[in-house]
Amino acid sequence: MQVAKFKIKKNDQVMVISGREKGKTGRVIRVIPENAKILIEKLNIVKRHTKASQKVKQGGIVEKEAPIDISNVMLICERCKGPVRVGKKVLEDGKAVRYCKKCGDTLEK
Ligand SMILES: [Zn+2]
């Protein structure tokens, strides 16, 4: 099994720090490690036109989250109430956790 090399995980609260959605926050709904991108709930929405097919009887516009570069988002620390730099440390029981470099709090739920 490959060790996750990204500091962002599914269900994390993140803030977008550059691009069209700069300054907005949301929950990570999917991580795509192959191209270092994530999907954030209700952010970076694109509209796609779909044609009627056998599956979908009516064509129309579907709104969908488009991937955002992991490098364009920062994890939010609940205690600091803002985006923070993330470090990694290993606890006494051997478990690796992410922590906030600002307040030292663990960022795992
Ligand atoms: Zn913090």
Side-chain angles (χ1 to χ4, degrees):
M1 209 174 93
Q2 203 193 342
V3 180
K5 60 179 172 177
F6 300 112
K7 287 170 179 168
I8 309 270
K9 291 180 185 173
K10 195 179 169 185
N11 292 326
D12 280 345
Q13 280 294 128
V14 295
M15 179 182 274
V16 182
I17 51 165
S18 73
R20 189 160 68 101
E21 303 284 29
K22 189 177 174 179
K24 291 186 186 170
T25 60
R27 186 174 63 91
V28 176
I29 52 173
R30 197 179 152 205
V31 179
I32 311 158
E34 301 88 63
N35 47 8
K37 285 176 189 286
I38 55 168
L39 294 182
I40 305 171
E41 194 174 35
K42 294 189 179 75
L43 285 193
N44 210 26
I45 296 288
V46 288
K47 286 177 181 167
R48 286 207 184 137
H49 295 265
T50 55
K51 282 180 185 167
S53 66
Q54 283 181 325
K55 269 188 194 168
V56 191
K57 279 190 179 149
Q58 260 190 327
I61 298 167
V62 175
E63 294 196 344
K64 226 182 142 184
E65 285 92 355
I68 294 177
D69 266 23
I70 281 186
S71 59
N72 287 348
V73 303
M74 280 180 93
L75 209 54
I76 288 177
C77 170
E78 278 171 27
R79 193 194 268 185
C80 299
K81 307 223 180 300
V84 292
R85 288 167 65 87
V86 179
K88 268 193 177 178
K89 62 182 175 185
V90 179
L91 298 180
E92 283 174 9
D93 61 5
K95 205 178 153 201
V97 295
R98 297 170 299 165
Y99 70 97
C100 166
K101 282 190 172 173
K102 213 169 177 179
C103 68
D105 233 18
T106 174
L107 294 166
E108 307 296 340
K109 275 148 211 156

